[in-house]
Amino acid sequence: MERVKFLVKAPEAFVLTLLSGRGFWLKNIKRTGGEISFFAKQNEALKIEECLNKANVKFIRQGDFGVKTGAESLLKRFGFLIGFALGLALIALYSLTVFGADIHGLEIVEAKSVHAVLKNEGINFPHLRLKKDADKLSLKIVELSGISHASVSVNGSRLVINVTEELPYEAPKDTQTPISVIAQFSGVISKIITVQGTPLVKVGDTVKKGDILIAPYIKSPDGTEVPLRAIGEVYALVWHQKHLYYPDTVIRQVRTGKTEVKTATNILKLNYLPKTSFVNYDYEQHTRQVLAIIPFSIIKTTFYETTAKETQFDFNKEKDLIVAKETDLLISSVPKHLRQGAEGKTWHIAKRVDNATRLSIYYELNQRICTAVQVSAPHS
Amino acid sequence: MSFFNDTVLKLGLPHDNFVGGDKVSIFSGKGAFIEGHKGVFSVSEEEIVIKLKKEKVYISGNGLKITEINASEIYIIGKISGILRGQ
């Protein structure tokens, strides 16, 4: 409903009686000092003005309100309309623009050859996207040697290229040349299964990395050695270990208390670190997204000046955390396929040495230790 | 049948005498609706006096305000503590 706001300087009772007596509708009546304000229907505004004038009442018609009036006044704001249209045009332009390419599925073929195809097709970023481009591009990428399929699509402002490579050529495997099974790790043999060949170790033997576990021959009844490929599985208790030293004093970068704040706008979500006058520093960055559609953000970077300072290191205070972290690192340093299904246990020893603490972490694992390796010359 | 006419019948009042008459309703002592007024006699935060056909209605309370008015209806809000009809 279109409404008009009036501000009247007269006693409230008089104004309300006068206007309601004439049948006018008054709403949102507010009293401020000696004045009252109210809203009236727009089609009654002229009659209200006439009525107030006749009664010699001072009033101000403050403005028109409502959807229609608002729309009309908005249409008169050319600057706003031009800005709004420009904004819409920019959003449309952004949504139709591709700012970079993400290539997935490449292992053998180099990414630069796909980029070269994009360049040859005249696609330099930022690039206005067209559906025809995507179809044509897939065909051109498939023409590259080593690629069997390519699909090109646009995801947001990125060109997404999914590539399937041709299977690499594999030479036929030699399964006949006699080779030994050797130890990949040092340990104590816990289990040995010989499928083919002559085992040179038994359960309980200590082996070093590189020792031959199963030799690539068998003895014939007449005592001659017949060369063949050694095949088998050998398991051993292996002790993975690491030794770390923690000095009692350490040099650490500590904040001096001086800070420097730099604020910058960022449009394309690029990593940006402004320059600082500090030589040694650490920093914190806070990003505030301004608009949801356009990737326009404000980055506030706070630099903290730091200086090197010798500080005491209390190993015992942080021991639990260090041991847990280093044990996890030690376990994860062992290839996953060796750990899967294998029994393992860990322990540590912390010992004081000169002005430092020596931490030794052990990981005992009953694991597969063998690998098949060709000896320099076939055994005869 | 309207709420007011229905109420008039339930009260056993002669129907013809009350058609077009004034009605005053109070809502939990926080708002009032007056129908059939003939103007506003005085307005203050403590008391609002409304003219009726033959009498006046004195609404007393705190923070009283007329929020809406038209030819026949008045809406009042505020803490209403008393209503008095008289000359």
Side-chain angles (χ1 to χ4, degrees), chain B residues 8-22:
Chain B
V8 166
L9 280 179
K10 282 183 178 175
L11 291 171
L13 299 169
H15 189 261
D16 294 345
N17 293 356
F18 291 91
V19 172
D22 58 84

Side-chain angles (χ1 to χ4, degrees), chain A residues 60 75 95 312 315:
Chain A
I60 301 165
L75 285 173
S95 63
Q312 290 294 316
F315 175 80

Side-chain angles (χ1 to χ4, degrees), chain A residues 98-165:
Chain A
V98 175
F99 290 96
D102 298 325
I103 305 165
H104 305 288
L106 285 183
E107 282 180 8
I108 301 163
V109 180
E110 287 187 11
K112 65 183 178 187
S113 55
V114 178
H115 283 293
V117 172
L118 297 179
K119 206 169 182 182
N120 287 342
E121 291 303 306
I123 296 172
N124 296 308
F125 300 111
H127 177 78
L128 270 176
R129 65 170 166 171
L130 295 167
K131 195 176 180 306
K132 272 189 280 181
D133 287 347
D135 298 341
K136 196 176 165 189
L137 265 177
S138 338
L139 293 173
K140 287 285 174 187
I141 292 168
V142 170
E143 283 175 13
L144 286 171
S145 66
I147 291 177
S148 62
H149 174 75
S151 72
V152 179
S153 60
V154 177
N155 187 1
S157 59
R158 306 288 297 175
L159 191 69
V160 180
I161 303 170
N162 287 308
V163 174
T164 310
E165 292 180 328

Side-chain angles (χ1 to χ4, degrees), chain A residues 40-336:
Chain A
K41 289 178 185 171
Q42 196 180 43
N43 56 8
E44 293 177 350
L46 285 174
K47 286 178 185 172
I48 289 173
E49 283 180 21
E50 199 180 313
C51 186
L52 291 171
N53 280 328
K54 270 187 187 176
N56 279 330
V57 174
K58 285 184 182 174
F59 69 93
I60 301 165
R61 180 169 164 167
Q62 280 196 320
D64 295 12
F65 299 87
V67 177
K68 196 177 159 189
T69 311
E72 280 172 357
S73 68
L74 203 62
L75 285 173
K76 288 172 192 168
R77 293 173 65 185
F78 296 110
F80 169 78
L81 288 175
I82 291 167
F84 187 69
L86 272 173
L88 282 178
L90 277 173
I91 291 169
L93 189 66
Y94 173 74
S95 63
L96 290 171
T97 306
V98 175
F99 290 96
D102 298 325
I103 305 165
H104 305 288
L106 285 183
E107 282 180 8
I108 301 163
V109 180
E110 287 187 11
K112 65 183 178 187
S113 55
V114 178
H115 283 293
V117 172
L118 297 179
K119 206 169 182 182
N120 287 342
E121 291 303 306
I123 296 172
N124 296 308
F125 300 111
H127 177 78
L128 270 176
R129 65 170 166 171
L130 295 167
K131 195 176 180 306
K132 272 189 280 181
D133 287 347
D135 298 341
K136 196 176 165 189
L137 265 177
S138 338
L139 293 173
K140 287 285 174 187
I141 292 168
V142 170
E143 283 175 13
L144 286 171
S145 66
I147 291 177
S148 62
H149 174 75
S151 72
V152 179
S153 60
V154 177
N155 187 1
S157 59
R158 306 288 297 175
L159 191 69
V160 180
I161 303 170
N162 287 308
V163 174
T164 310
E165 292 180 328
E166 288 169 0
L167 291 172
Y169 171 76
E170 282 186 21
K173 280 184 183 171
D174 171 23
T175 55
Q176 297 305 313
T177 307
I179 58 172
S180 305
V181 170
I182 66 157
Q184 262 187 312
F185 296 89
S186 302
V188 176
I189 304 294
S190 60
K191 186 164 78 175
I192 181 162
I193 304 160
T194 306
V195 177
Q196 200 168 280
T198 305
L200 300 182
V201 291
K202 60 183 185 299
V203 172
D205 285 356
T206 302
V207 293
K208 281 183 189 170
K209 183 179 177 181
D211 285 355
I212 295 175
L213 304 172
I214 304 171
Y217 62 84
I218 50 167
K219 282 197 175 173
S220 62
D222 59 3
T224 56
E225 291 178 356
V226 180
L228 46 66
R229 177 167 295 242
I231 302 170
E233 293 284 319
V234 184
Y235 292 83
L237 279 176
V238 177
W239 290 273
H240 301 275
Q241 51 192 281
K242 73 197 287 190
H243 305 281
L244 303 154
Y245 287 88
Y246 295 90
D248 292 344
T249 53
V250 289
I251 305 292
R252 278 186 176 152
Q253 291 292 326
V254 292
R255 290 180 182 180
T256 61
K258 286 183 185 171
T259 59
E260 202 171 271
V261 178
K262 301 247 168 131
T263 306
T265 54
N266 191 351
I267 295 178
L268 296 174
K269 293 182 178 174
L270 303 170
N271 289 329
Y272 173 73
L273 186 66
K275 284 183 181 174
T276 174
S277 59
F278 298 150
V279 181
N280 295 315
Y281 61 88
D282 60 20
Y283 66 93
E284 288 172 6
Q285 275 193 327
H286 297 280
T287 306
R288 191 160 65 88
Q289 194 71 27
V290 179
L291 290 170
I293 304 168
I294 300 173
F296 177 74
S297 55
I298 294 172
I299 300 174
K300 184 184 170 189
T301 310
T302 309
F303 293 96
Y304 300 93
E305 190 188 43
T306 58
T307 182
K309 195 177 176 186
E310 194 176 83
T311 52
Q312 290 294 316
F313 178 73
D314 186 355
F315 175 80
N316 289 327
K317 201 175 169 185
E318 298 182 32
K319 185 182 168 186
D320 292 345
L321 276 175
I322 292 170
V323 168
K325 184 187 161 192
E326 294 301 335
T327 305
D328 284 349
L329 284 172
L330 178 63
I331 292 171
S332 58
S333 71
V334 178
K336 202 176 175 182

